[in-house]
Amino acid sequence: MRGSEFPEIMTFRGSPSQGLSHSESNGEQSFLVGWIGHERSLTQIRYNAEGDLLFSVSKDQLINVWYTHNGERLGTYDGHNGTVWTIDIDADTRFLISGSADNTMKLWECATGKCLYTWEFPTAVKRVAFSEDDSQVVCVTEQRMGHSSTIRVFDINREGDGTNQSEEPVYKFSPIGSKATVVAFAHEPHLILTGHESGKVAVWDAKSGDEVNSNEHAHRDVVTDLQLHPDRSYFITSSKDKTARLHDTKSLAVLKTFPTETPLNSAAIAPLRPYILIGGGQEAMSVTTTSLRQGKFETRFWHKIFEEEVGRVKGHFGPINTIAVHPSGKSYASGGEDGFVRLHHFDDSYFKSKPYGDVEIDD
Amino acid sequence: MSQTNGISHEDEGIDYSDIEERYRVEQTEGFDNLLVVDGVPIIDKSKLEKLVAKISKEFSRKGAKISPENITVPFGDDGKSKGFIFMEFKTPDEAVHALTTMNGVPFDSKHNFIINRFSEIEQYANMDPVYIEPKFEEYKPREHLRAWLADPQGRDQYATYRGDDVEIHWHGKPSNCEVQYERPNWTDLYVAWSPQGKYLATLHRQGVRLWGGPTWQPIQRFAHPLVKLIHFSPSEQYLVTWSHEPIVVPEGALQGPQYFSPEDEGNSIAVWDIKTGNLLRTFPSIPVTGGDEAVKKQGVVWPAFKWSSDDRYVARVTPGQQISIYETPGMGLLDKKSIKIEGVVDFEWCPLGDKDMDEINAAKSGAPGKAKKQPRENMLVYWTPELGNQPARVTLMAIPSRTILRQKNLFNVSDCKLYWQDQGDCLCVRVDRHTKTKKSIFCNLEIFRVREKDFPVEVVELKDTVTDFSWEPRGERFAVVSSSDPNLGNAGPGATIKTDVSFYQLDRGRGDFKLLTTLANRTSNTIRWSPRGRHVVLATVGSTSKSELEFWDLDFNNEDLGKKDGPQEWGSGIQRLGSADHYGVTDVEWDPSGRYLATSASTWRHTLENGYAIWDFKGQELEKHLLDRFKQFLWRPRPRTLLTKEQQKAIRKDLKKYSRAFDEEDATEEGKVSAELIAQRKRLVDEWNAWRARCKRENSGRSKKRNVAVEDVDEEKEEVAVWIDEVIEQIEEEVVE
C-alpha cells in the first residue's frame, strides 16, 4: 500500500535564487518551491481562509506572504527582531497576528503590511491563534528566566483602523507543571486548548484559569503541533514521541494514533479526503551519519480512520518543521529546517483513487 | 550424614554447624546447653555408673564430648531409672552438635537415643492431646508448561521487549499472528527463554523469575540480588546466575534452602535447581585476565560454567590451570579433584546427538530385548597453547573416566576456537596460525570425526583469516567467513570489511572435506543456518552502511533432502533464493522450525530504525515493524521432537498428501482474511461516521463565525425552534432502532 499506489503528487520546483518561481512548462505539474524569502529554517506556515495566500514565518525574523497559485512572493512583514515562532490570520484576511522570540506579539494589517499594534512580554511568544469569531487572540509565552509559561487572551478591537488595541489581556493564567508549547481556542469561546512539553493535552477555562479537562498521557514527549478540524470538534497533535494522534476536543479522548519512527514536528488534517499529513525528522544534531535515509524528511500521508500509512512525499533536505493544508484540500505546503517551503498541488488521482474501496467517510 | 542445602558435609570439608546454629530458634536463656535424652535403657542404681560411662563414651565417639559427671539420671520411687537422662554441656554449641549428631542414633539393639532440648520439653508436655488433622492443601493443577506446543495451527511463539513492555506473540499465517500475552514492566533488564522453551526468565533487582504456562504464571524465583547474566542447563534442570556484585547476606535476611547463607558471601556465581528453587552452590567468579575489551568490561566470561548436554556435569575452566567438573545434583567436585592441565585456555563439551539421546533414554527405561549398547561417555575437548618445549595441543577427554581419547599437536598457534557439530559427530578446531615471522595470520581447520574409530583428523588450510565458522545443524557441511581485507581488526567507523564465504562438505567416499563453493567479495560477517539445515542466511550485521541479507539453499536441485549423495555435480545445488535488506540489523535468528527468519535492530546497539522484521526462508518480507525503543526479539525454542526416525520418515513420504490439506486451508484462510479486513474497516468507518454525526448535531446549536454572531435576533429565534425539532426527531430514531 505504500508509496507506489498513492496518487502522484505534483511537486513545485523552482530556483531558490530567484524571487519568483514559475510553472513547469508541461502544464501538468505546476511549480515552485525554494522560495528565496527565507534564509533560515521555517517555524510555521498558514493558509488564509480563501487559500489564495500562504503566510510563512522563519528564524530569519521575517514574515512572508505568497500567492499560492504560482508561488510568487506578495510581500514581507518586517519588524520583528528575533525568530518569528508563530503566526495566524483572521477569517477575512484583514489582520495578521505574529509572535516572536523578541518577546513581542504584533498585529499587522494583511493588505498593507503595516504593524498596527505591539504587545510586549517578559519572554518569547511561542504560539498565537485567533478565536473562531476572530474577536480574540490567545498566545502562550516561553518559560524562561524565572517567568513561567503564561497563556494570555486579548480582545481584538476590529473597529477603526485596528491600532486601538488594549494593552492588557482579558484573561491571563499560567498552567502549573509542564509548560505549554502550543495553544488554540477550543470548541467553546472561553475554552483554551493546550499541548505541553510533558506530552499532556489540556483544556482550560480562560476566565478562571482552571484546568477543565486533561489527558496527561496524550503523548510521551513534547507536543510540537496542534491543528483543529474546522468545526473544532477534533484536533490532531504531533509529538517528539514519534506519534501523531487525533483527539476529541470535548473529552480529550484519543481517537486515532499514527505511530512513526521519527520525531514529529507537525501534523495537519486534510479536508476532502480522509487523510492526515505528518512531518518531522531526526534533528541534524542527532543524526550520526550524513545519509538522508535516517532523516526521514518526508511528508507522510496516513489514512485518518484506518491508521495506515498510504504514501510519502519527499523533497526536503532537513526535518519538516511545519505543514499546512489548503482550506479546500486541493494543495498542501510544508516548511523545513532547510529554509524551503514546498507547495504541492494534488493531482486528480489523489481525489479519484479509492485505495480502500467505496467507503463514505465523513469529514 | 547430615545434609544442608542438598550438599553433603564431606564436600571440601566445610563445617556447616554454624548454619545450624543460625537457624536454631532462640530459646529461653540459660537452658540452651541442656539436653534431654530419651530411649535410654531402664536400669536400677547398681548399673548407673556403667551406663553413664557407656553413654558418655558413645557420645564422645561422635565428637559430642560429655563427661559422666554432667549426666544426670533421674530415678523413680521404685528404684528404677525413668528411661531418660539429662545432659549438661559446657556451651549451647556443643549441645546443638550433640543433638544433631546423636539424635536417632542406636544405643544397643533395643534402644535408640531420642534427644530434645530441655527448653522444648515443656512445650511438648503442654501440647493439646487432641489430634487435629492437618488440613490438606487443595491440589491446584498447574498449567501445562508445554501447552504452546499443542497449538492447533502449529504456530511458534516469540517474545519481544520494547521500552518497558514485554509481549509474547503467536507467529503463523498472516491471519493467525497475534499477541498472546503482554505485560508492561515484566522485566528490568531483559528476558530469556530456557533452552527448550518451557520457561521465560525475567531479570529484576531482586533476582530471576521464571514464568510459564498459557497464562504466564510465576513458576519459580531465585533470589540473586542485582543479577546480570543467567545461563540455563540444556535440559532446563538448573540455572546459573551471575551478578557483578559479590553476594552479601545482610542482617535479618531471609534464610532457607532458597536463599544465600553467610558462606556464600563474596561469591558471585550461583547454581540453582529450577524445580525446587533451591540454591545448590555458589562460586566466586574467576577474574578475567585475557580476552577482548567487551569481556573485560563485563568482568566475567559467560557462560562461566558449561553444561554437558545431559545436565549431569557442569564444568568451568580456570585459565592456565585446570578444569573443574561438578556433578549434579549435589554439585560436588567430580572425584573430589579438578583436572589439572597446565596452560589450558578453553574447553567445550561434546553435544549429544539425537542418537545419543535415544540411547540414553533406552538405557534409562531399561528396554527389554536386544543387548543395549552402552551410551557414549560424555566427552570434552580442550586446548593448551605452546608451553616451553611442548607444542600446542588439542585433547579429547572422556568424562567421568578422564581417559584421553585423542590428542593432536599443533604448531605456530596463536589462537584456537572449538566448534562442535550439533549432533556431536564432528569437531572443528579453528586454529589461527602465524607465520614464522609472526607477521601474518592464516587459518587451519582441524576437523575431528569423533564417531569413527581412532578419531581421524582432516585439515583444511585457508590462506585468509577466518572471522566466523558455523556447522550445518544435523549436517555434514559447514560455512566459513574469511577475509583478507587489510582493514580487518582495525576498521574505522563506516568502513565495511570485504569477506568471502565458503561452503565445505564431507566427501563420504574419500573421507575428507571438500570445498563446495566460495562466494567472493561480500560484506557478510554472520552465518545463520536454519535449525533444520539446508538453508542458510548470510547477513551483514553491525555495519552502518551495509545491512544485506542473503538467503541461500544448498540443496536446490535436490527435491528430497533425505538423500544427499546424488550423482549430481559437486556444489551445483547451491542457489541464492533471495536477498533483502534490513537497515541497521543487529540480530538475526531463525525460528525453531526453520521456516522463518527474524531480523531485529535493537536500541541496545543503536537508535536508528529500531524494530524487527520476519522473513520466510526465501527472503520474502512477511512483516516489518519499526518500533522505537525496541530491544529484544526471541523465538521461543522447541524441545526435541518426540517422533521416532521412522515416524518422521513416514511423514516426509506423505508430504504431498498433507500439503494438499494445508493448501486448501490457506485458500479459505485468504478469503476469510480479506473479508475480515473489509468488515473491520467498515466497522471503523461506521464508528467514525456515527461520531461525526453526533459532533455535528451537538455543534449545530453553536453560533458560527463572527458573521453569524451579528445576525438578526429574529433569525436566531428561528434557529432555536429548528433545533428543538431536530431533538425530537432524534428521539424517534432511537426508539425505532
Side-chain angles (χ1 to χ4, degrees):
Chain A
M1 192 65 61
R2 301 257 145 102
S4 60
E5 287 183 36
F6 190 73
E8 196 189 328
I9 287 158
M10 291 196 287
T11 313
F12 301 112
R13 274 176 273 124
S15 152
S17 56
Q18 288 177 333
L20 309 180
S21 45
H22 57 280
S23 297
E24 298 258 326
S25 52
N26 63 15
E28 77 172 283
Q29 308 219 322
S30 0
F31 74 92
L32 94 159
V33 169
W35 300 352
I36 184 198
H38 292 294
E39 287 166 358
R40 289 197 57 198
S41 48
L42 276 293
T43 48
Q44 196 176 14
I45 54 176
R46 299 291 298 235
Y47 282 92
N48 67 343
E50 284 81 17
D52 59 333
L53 298 176
L54 181 74
F55 296 82
S56 63
V57 290
S58 142
K59 289 187 178 168
D60 64 10
Q61 317 188 352
L62 294 181
I63 304 167
N64 280 334
V65 54
W66 316 81
Y67 285 117
T68 56
H69 68 281
N70 63 3
E72 193 176 325
R73 183 171 57 161
L74 176 60
T76 299
Y77 302 82
D78 202 353
H80 278 300
N81 292 317
T83 296
V84 188
W85 286 117
T86 171
I87 192 175
D88 200 13
I89 308 102
D90 71 4
D92 301 346
T93 320
R94 179 180 170 202
F95 291 140
L96 176 74
I97 193 93
S98 64
S100 158
D102 64 7
N103 300 354
T104 63
M105 177 169 84
K106 284 176 188 285
L107 184 72
W108 312 79
E109 193 166 46
C110 279
T112 61
K114 200 172 103 189
C115 178
L116 300 173
Y117 196 83
T118 301
W119 290 267
E120 288 208 28
F121 306 107
T123 59
V125 183
K126 293 297 280 187
R127 188 54 85 105
V128 295
F130 273 105
S131 66
E132 200 167 9
D133 63 2
D134 294 332
S135 65
Q136 290 181 322
V137 292
V138 62
C139 72
V140 61
T141 55
E142 179 66 289
Q143 173 184 15
R144 192 151 293 161
M145 292 180 297
H147 296 282
S148 59
S149 148
T150 304
I151 292 160
R152 294 179 177 83
V153 178
F154 294 92
D155 275 336
I156 297 297
N157 178 9
R158 304 190 67 88
E159 306 297 318
D161 60 1
T163 54
N164 183 21
Q165 303 295 340
S166 75
E167 193 186 334
E168 286 306 310
V170 263
Y171 310 121
K172 174 182 166 186
F173 62 96
S174 301
I176 300 159
S178 174
K179 72 174 184 191
T181 51
V182 289
V183 69
F185 280 95
H187 50 293
E188 302 285 344
H190 61 280
L191 293 182
I192 307 291
L193 193 58
T194 56
H196 294 256
E197 193 179 29
S198 66
K200 173 170 109 165
V201 169
V203 172
W204 307 79
D205 186 331
K207 288 177 191 157
S208 61
D210 291 339
E211 190 176 284
V212 180
N213 196 354
S214 80
N215 181 357
E216 292 287 342
H217 305 293
H219 284 285
R220 277 196 312 270
D221 206 338
V222 189
V223 178
T224 49
D225 196 8
L226 186 157
Q227 298 194 20
L228 284 139
H229 183 262
D231 76 3
R232 299 193 185 230
S233 58
Y234 67 99
F235 61 95
I236 190 161
T237 55
S238 65
S239 165
K240 290 285 182 201
D241 74 0
K242 308 186 182 179
T243 65
R245 289 170 203 264
L246 277 188
H247 310 257
D248 182 348
T249 314
K250 266 197 183 153
S251 65
L252 291 188
V254 174
L255 302 170
K256 302 285 173 187
T257 301
F258 311 98
T260 72
E261 69 288 353
T262 187
L264 297 179
N265 294 328
S266 189
I269 302 166
L272 291 184
R273 302 289 285 145
Y275 300 135
I276 58 117
L277 287 71
I278 51 186
Q282 201 71 244
E283 277 169 52
M285 53 190 275
S286 20
V287 177
T288 47
T289 63
T290 48
S291 162
L292 275 181
R293 171 184 175 86
Q294 281 116 42
K296 306 284 185 192
F297 310 134
E298 296 155 321
T299 305
R300 297 117 188 276
F301 285 67
W302 281 65
H303 197 281
K304 189 163 75 181
I305 317 298
F306 304 142
E307 299 172 308
E308 283 176 28
E309 188 174 319
V310 289
R312 290 187 187 189
V313 177
K314 286 184 188 158
H316 282 287
F317 302 105
I320 292 168
N321 286 343
T322 172
I323 295 178
V325 185
H326 192 282
S328 72
K330 301 226 154 104
S331 73
Y332 86 92
S334 56
E337 186 71 19
D338 56 7
F340 286 78
V341 177
R342 297 182 66 88
L343 183 56
H344 303 258
H345 283 255
F346 298 124
D347 56 12
D348 279 351
S349 61
Y350 169 82
F351 299 102
K352 282 181 188 151
S353 81
K354 286 178 177 157
Y356 293 97
D358 224 350
V359 283
E360 286 289 321
I361 295 170
D362 278 356
D363 200 13
Chain B
M1 185 200 301
S2 118
Q3 295 266 323
T4 309
N5 290 0
I7 300 166
S8 82
H9 277 193
E10 278 75 12
D11 186 14
E12 293 185 351
I14 297 169
D15 184 8
Y16 285 89
S17 56
D18 47 1
I19 306 182
E20 277 129 3
E21 164 63 13
R22 249 183 108 91
Y23 292 155
R24 188 171 49 81
V25 181
E26 206 56 53
Q27 297 301 322
T28 330
E29 291 277 322
F31 296 116
D32 287 351
N33 54 344
L34 283 183
L35 290 184
V36 182
V37 182
D38 242 313
V40 177
I42 295 170
I43 48 151
D44 48 30
K45 278 194 176 147
S46 58
K47 286 190 179 159
L48 174 64
E49 212 166 301
K50 204 175 159 196
L51 176 79
V52 168
K54 183 97 199 301
I55 290 173
S56 156
K57 205 172 131 198
E58 199 74 18
F59 269 71
S60 301
R61 219 170 49 185
K62 287 277 168 79
K65 283 220 165 75
I66 180 107
S67 56
E69 319 60 285
N70 291 332
I71 298 177
T72 315
V73 182
F75 283 89
D77 296 338
D78 57 352
K80 296 252 178 193
S81 73
K82 296 201 165 184
F84 58 87
I85 58 171
F86 299 101
M87 284 187 186
E88 188 176 353
F89 287 88
K90 285 203 192 79
T91 63
D93 288 350
E94 283 179 40
V96 169
H97 180 63
L99 177 75
T100 49
T101 49
M102 294 306 290
N103 194 13
V105 170
F107 178 55
D108 56 28
S109 56
K110 286 183 191 143
H111 298 89
N112 288 343
F113 290 128
I114 298 159
I115 309 180
N116 283 304
R117 289 195 179 85
F118 180 74
S119 47
E120 286 169 359
I121 288 294
E122 195 163 353
Q123 187 191 332
Y124 295 140
N126 294 342
M127 275 224 301
D128 193 345
V130 183
Y131 173 67
I132 300 165
E133 197 162 339
K135 261 192 201 144
F136 273 101
E137 256 187 65
E138 208 166 310
Y139 172 70
K140 279 193 214 112
R142 274 242 297 251
E143 284 179 329
H144 201 298
L145 294 178
R146 286 187 170 163
W148 95 99
L149 293 172
D151 179 58
Q153 288 143 342
R155 294 175 294 180
D156 273 303
Q157 287 191 337
Y158 60 86
T160 60
Y161 179 29
R162 177 203 179 192
D164 298 321
D165 305 336
V166 180
E167 288 176 355
I168 310 288
H169 297 255
W170 280 115
H171 183 260
K173 287 176 211 150
S175 62
N176 297 335
C177 294
E178 55 187 348
V179 176
Q180 191 254 343
Y181 187 77
E182 59 188 310
R183 183 152 160 165
N185 298 315
W186 205 357
T187 182
D188 292 346
L189 280 181
Y190 55 89
V191 294
W193 293 106
S194 61
Q196 302 184 12
K198 218 193 258 182
Y199 308 106
L200 181 76
T202 59
L203 280 83
H204 308 269
R205 270 190 71 81
Q206 298 87 342
V208 182
R209 290 202 87 161
L210 298 188
W211 310 78
T215 60
W216 300 101
Q217 298 295 317
I219 303 290
Q220 196 55 268
R221 59 185 187 186
F222 309 101
H224 191 162
L226 300 172
V227 58
K228 285 271 151 27
L229 293 170
I230 61 170
H231 179 54
F232 283 93
S233 71
S235 314
E236 306 182 330
Q237 292 184 61
Y238 307 101
L239 180 74
V240 187
T241 58
W242 175 81
S243 161
H244 66 287
E245 298 283 339
I247 294 165
V248 185
V249 180
E251 208 53 51
L254 288 168
Q255 290 294 320
Q258 303 196 340
Y259 300 98
F260 292 130
S261 67
E263 269 85 65
D264 301 319
E265 287 208 13
N267 289 350
S268 48
I269 299 175
V271 184
W272 311 80
D273 184 303
I274 288 178
K275 287 221 174 70
T276 61
N278 286 350
L279 175 67
L280 295 183
R281 192 166 169 175
T282 58
F283 298 90
S285 54
I286 294 168
V288 181
T289 48
D292 48 84
E293 286 304 307
V295 173
K296 257 186 205 162
K297 205 173 150 202
Q298 195 178 36
V300 70
V301 183
W302 201 254
F305 282 83
K306 289 172 182 164
W307 295 88
S308 67
S309 47
D310 55 2
D311 269 14
R312 272 178 66 192
Y313 305 105
V314 60
R316 74 161 167 181
V317 61
T318 312
Q321 297 172 22
Q322 61 187 22
I323 298 173
S324 314
I325 302 174
Y326 302 89
E327 204 170 0
T328 59
M331 289 303 290
L333 200 54
L334 184 69
D335 300 338
K336 300 205 177 64
K337 55 178 189 286
S338 301
I339 308 171
K340 296 259 187 275
I341 306 156
E342 204 186 337
V344 61
V345 178
D346 200 8
F347 76 99
E348 288 292 341
W349 287 98
C350 170
L352 296 176
D354 289 343
K355 236 189 296 172
D356 304 301
M357 286 294 191
D358 291 340
E359 277 170 20
I360 289 170
N361 291 342
K364 254 191 221 156
S365 61
K370 30 178 174 165
K372 277 169 292 170
K373 216 174 88 193
Q374 202 56 34
R376 184 163 75 159
E377 225 181 342
N378 268 305
M379 198 190 324
L380 58 77
V381 59
Y382 60 85
W383 77 277
T384 53
E386 282 167 55
L387 283 171
N389 281 337
Q390 184 193 313
R393 225 172 232 179
V394 172
T395 311
L396 278 167
M397 182 186 267
I399 298 295
S401 68
R402 303 196 182 193
T403 347
I404 289 179
L405 300 170
R406 180 78 156 92
Q407 211 160 35
K408 183 155 197 270
N409 292 342
L410 305 165
F411 301 93
N412 301 336
V413 174
S414 50
D415 195 14
C416 275
K417 289 272 182 313
L418 312 164
Y419 301 95
W420 282 100
Q421 190 251 8
D422 74 327
Q423 296 296 305
D425 297 339
C426 296
L427 164 73
C428 173
V429 182
R430 189 186 107 197
V431 189
D432 291 342
R433 301 180 60 185
H434 49 80
T435 47
K436 280 262 154 59
T437 57
K438 301 208 172 183
K439 269 191 184 140
S440 57
I441 299 252
F442 60 105
C443 189
N444 272 14
L445 303 173
E446 314 260 343
I447 300 164
F448 294 70
R449 272 173 289 141
V450 296
R451 298 247 184 230
E452 287 167 42
K453 202 169 163 249
D454 298 332
F455 305 93
V457 181
E458 298 304 327
V459 183
V460 176
E461 288 202 26
L462 299 167
K463 280 193 270 324
D464 299 333
T465 314
V466 170
T467 55
D468 198 8
F469 174 96
S470 186
W471 282 104
E472 177 185 26
R474 300 158 201 279
E476 291 166 339
R477 287 179 287 217
F478 63 83
V480 289
V481 179
S482 58
S483 174
S484 53
D485 198 311
N487 286 330
L488 184 69
N490 50 0
T496 314
I497 303 286
K498 283 266 171 264
T499 56
D500 299 333
V501 182
S502 313
F503 296 102
Y504 289 82
Q505 181 167 359
L506 175 67
D507 187 339
R508 284 257 163 198
R510 293 172 43 199
D512 63 355
F513 282 86
K514 214 167 128 189
L515 180 68
L516 282 174
T517 188
T518 296
L519 314 169
N521 250 340
R522 319 252 135 192
T523 56
S524 321
N525 50 20
T526 308
I527 308 163
R528 289 284 183 273
W529 285 96
S530 151
R532 306 197 73 84
R534 178 171 169 176
H535 297 285
V536 65
V537 165
L538 308 174
T540 311
V541 169
S543 159
T544 45
S545 49
K546 281 278 203 167
S547 50
E548 216 179 12
L549 305 167
E550 286 186 70
F551 297 77
W552 288 84
D553 183 353
L554 268 63
D555 292 317
F556 189 69
N557 301 334
N558 210 342
E559 269 301 295
D560 182 11
L561 40 157
K563 45 172 146 76
K564 284 199 186 100
D565 42 5
Q568 57 181 302
E569 207 180 312
W570 198 245
S572 65
I574 299 183
Q575 174 89 27
R576 187 165 76 172
L577 297 176
S579 63
D581 193 273
H582 182 169
Y583 178 75
V585 60
T586 58
D587 298 274
V588 180
E589 207 187 349
W590 281 93
D591 84 323
S593 68
R595 290 175 295 175
Y596 304 106
L597 182 85
T599 55
S600 58
S602 164
T603 187
W604 286 330
R605 299 292 178 83
H606 60 72
T607 51
L608 303 173
E609 295 193 30
N610 297 135
Y612 68 92
I614 297 179
W615 318 77
D616 69 5
F617 69 94
K618 301 192 292 293
Q620 295 285 325
E621 182 183 289
L622 301 177
E623 335 180 11
K624 180 153 189 177
H625 305 277
L626 286 176
L627 306 161
D628 59 320
R629 297 175 301 123
F630 186 82
K631 293 175 181 165
Q632 224 183 343
F633 181 102
L634 287 177
W635 288 106
R636 187 174 196 174
R638 281 171 175 254
R640 231 175 119 236
T641 177
L642 295 173
L643 301 177
T644 61
K645 274 235 159 71
E646 291 71 39
Q647 286 169 310
Q648 292 183 42
K649 216 173 258 169
I651 288 175
R652 218 171 283 145
K653 216 176 109 198
D654 293 337
L655 210 54
K656 284 233 167 70
K657 197 172 77 192
Y658 294 115
S659 73
R660 201 175 310 129
F662 285 117
D663 286 344
E664 276 166 27
E665 214 173 274
D666 282 356
T668 45
E669 201 54 56
E670 219 163 278
K672 212 168 86 189
V673 172
S674 47
E676 249 170 46
L677 195 62
I678 288 166
Q680 159 80 353
R681 285 187 178 148
K682 186 168 180 335
R683 199 158 56 243
L684 285 173
V685 168
D686 288 349
E687 264 171 35
W688 176 265
N689 288 349
W691 180 72
R692 288 304 296 154
R694 204 162 64 235
C695 281
K696 278 177 186 153
R697 277 201 302 274
E698 283 164 5
N699 269 341
S700 58
R702 202 154 66 88
S703 61
K704 278 285 151 207
K705 298 266 170 196
R706 177 160 35 83
N707 327 359
V708 183
V710 293
E711 259 171 355
D712 210 349
V713 182
D714 284 348
E715 265 183 27
E716 266 200 2
K717 266 184 187 167
E718 260 181 30
E719 244 183 41
V720 172
V722 171
W723 179 68
I724 290 169
D725 275 357
E726 276 186 10
V727 169
I728 292 166
E729 274 175 20
Q730 260 177 272
I731 292 166
E732 284 177 353
E733 273 176 20
E734 280 173 13
V735 170
V736 172
E737 277 167 28

